Amino acid sequence: MPQAEAAILAGAHVMVEKPLALDMESLKRVMKLAKEKNRMVSVALCNRYHKGLQHIKQVIESGKLGKIINIRGAMGEFFPESRPDYKQTYYVKYNGCFELIHAVDYTVWLAGGTPIEIYGICGSDADLGFESPDNAEVLFRTDNGVTCAVNLAFYQTPTRCELFVYGTQGSCELRYTHTEYT
């Protein structure tokens, strides 16, 4: 947050990596400063630009699926394999599987509305040594009536990213990695 504050004071807009802040006090301070200085602060949630997700967005906007009713997503990896040094990272203490928040972000984006009803369950149940959650289930409904469920997991093997979109006239499915999708 000190770097974000310095950038705002220098007149810049700011893009911050996850986690946005480690505590609410510093987040509130930066957001107040940004408002006072008329600067924008955003979080780097770039998965919306993945070609597979862009294609799903086009399919939804084309109307081929009818009215979108439900979206289900899952993003998971086996963290000890993808980050062997994971016990020395901030993930273990602070944000855990919420590092995979991209899946929640693009699900909201694809739903095309604002979440108005939100529920979540999370825990550190995979015995990986996390103080923060290693798994989470996020459920929400948007103001345009789309219900969504997103699973985030750091115990998942093999690595998987999946998305299912259900509409009144059809459905579509996306399975993807960083570089490929079906």
Side-chain angles (χ1 to χ4, degrees), residues 47-48 53 56-57 60 68 70-75 100-115 138-142 144 146-152 162-165 176:
N47 281 29
R48 292 181 185 192
L53 291 163
I56 293 292
K57 182 71 167 171
I60 290 170
I68 302 305
N70 182 266
I71 301 175
R72 296 178 185 271
M75 184 177 275
L100 303 172
I101 199 70
H102 292 279
V104 174
D105 174 65
Y106 62 66
T107 301
V108 171
W109 174 63
L110 292 170
T114 300
V138 180
L139 307 167
F140 60 93
R141 179 186 309 276
T142 60
N144 59 346
V146 181
T147 57
C148 303
V150 181
N151 177 264
L152 310 174
E162 302 172 330
L163 182 73
F164 303 90
V165 180
Y176 65 99

Side-chain angles (χ1 to χ4, degrees), residues 58-113:
Q58 290 172 357
V59 169
I60 290 170
E61 290 177 347
S62 76
K64 291 178 185 176
L65 303 179
K67 180 182 178 194
I68 302 305
I69 303 297
N70 182 266
I71 301 175
R72 296 178 185 271
M75 184 177 275
E77 62 183 287
F78 188 58
F79 213 44
E81 185 176 282
S82 63
R83 283 294 300 265
D85 67 335
Y86 78 97
K87 287 188 179 181
Q88 285 76 49
T89 68
Y90 67 91
Y91 308 112
V92 171
K93 184 172 183 179
Y94 295 107
N95 64 332
C97 67
F98 289 105
E99 180 67 17
L100 303 172
I101 199 70
H102 292 279
V104 174
D105 174 65
Y106 62 66
T107 301
V108 171
W109 174 63
L110 292 170

